[in-house]
Amino acid sequence: MWGSLILPAFANASLGAVNPADVQQWVAQLDSAGYAPATIRKAHQLLGRIFSDAVQAGLIVRSPCHNITLPRVEASEMRFLSPDEIGHLADAIDSRYRAMVLTAAYTGCRFGEIAALDIDHYDPNRRTLRIERSLSEVRGHLSFSEPKTPAARRAITIPTWLPQVLAEHINTYPASSDGLIFTAPEGGPIRRNTFRSRFWLPAVAD
């Protein structure tokens, strides 16, 4: 955001030379260029923090980012699948990820939590999953991290039929060397963008 949205517009401007009209024009240009309202708001928020710091440091009197009209973020209606629809989606996706779709649907886990799930955090006898980490990808690099809040670290009880589904999955697609239950076709952790384009979106379309 800093390099692609803010610097091109303000790199050569001194702090005191930027006025609200400049910021409003910048917002309008981003909107005309097709950037999403949420992206524009985040960029404006970052620029605002910079000018707020400048005010606190006594470098300028007031921030030019106040009272700027920003594009509205339209809340999209959430789609909740019925049990039949979940079953159809699980059957439509590559068989390698059928159990993953069902596990995600009936536990409410986020993608990063499901992708990070390993054998050590799954107890089929007690029918529980322990969510204690998440998988994320930043600039092409995959990493595991602990949940951001205490509430995100939790134990989830799964339906009585799901351990059989997971058992069949693990038997067909053995866990990776580091214990991951759901893995990429070539082995190792699943990359979200690759999974989305290669498997998820085609299954949704079907």
Side-chain angles (χ1 to χ4, degrees):
M1 230 166 247
W2 170 248
S4 62
L5 302 186
I6 296 177
L7 277 183
F10 298 105
N12 297 322
S14 64
L15 289 169
V18 179
N19 59 51
D22 296 325
V23 178
Q24 189 68 69
Q25 182 181 24
W26 168 67
V27 168
Q29 290 172 343
L30 294 181
D31 192 28
S32 298
Y35 286 97
T39 299
I40 297 174
R41 283 177 172 270
K42 289 179 182 178
H44 173 264
Q45 185 180 44
L46 175 58
L47 184 66
R49 288 205 300 267
I50 294 169
F51 279 107
S52 292
D53 287 345
V55 171
Q56 290 185 359
L59 300 176
I60 55 177
V61 176
R62 61 175 59 89
S63 170
C65 291
H66 291 319
N67 300 321
I68 300 298
T69 301
L70 300 172
R72 294 181 59 182
V73 177
E74 299 294 339
S76 58
E77 184 177 353
M78 296 184 70
R79 172 78 184 278
F80 296 94
L81 302 187
S82 68
D84 284 344
E85 289 174 321
I86 292 170
H88 291 321
L89 182 57
D91 291 337
I93 204 165
D94 186 284
S95 59
R96 184 182 195 93
Y97 298 110
R98 181 176 185 275
M100 180 176 168
V101 168
L102 293 173
T103 302
Y106 285 94
T107 62
C109 289
R110 299 175 178 86
F111 177 86
E113 295 171 338
I114 287 289
L117 186 64
D118 60 15
I119 293 294
D120 291 339
H121 292 84
Y122 167 51
D123 187 340
N125 296 321
R126 295 184 178 180
R127 293 191 293 112
T128 57
L129 305 177
R130 296 199 325 276
I131 305 302
E132 296 183 356
R133 64 176 186 170
S134 182
L135 177 68
S136 60
E137 181 176 359
V138 179
R139 296 180 181 177
H141 297 287
L142 294 171
S143 63
F144 294 97
S145 60
E146 295 184 355
K148 295 180 180 179
T149 64
R153 186 187 295 270
R154 62 202 187 278
I156 300 174
T157 301
I158 62 177
T160 55
W161 51 267
L162 192 52
Q164 179 61 36
V165 173
L166 289 171
E168 293 173 358
H169 168 81
I170 294 171
N171 183 58
T172 306
Y173 308 101
S176 64
S177 58
D178 51 3
L180 290 175
I181 295 176
F182 304 112
T183 58
E186 62 276 9
I190 302 171
R191 293 182 179 272
R192 179 173 187 152
N193 289 338
T194 302
F195 171 81
R196 185 174 185 273
S197 61
R198 185 176 174 185
F199 300 104
W200 177 254
L201 292 181
V204 171
D206 289 344

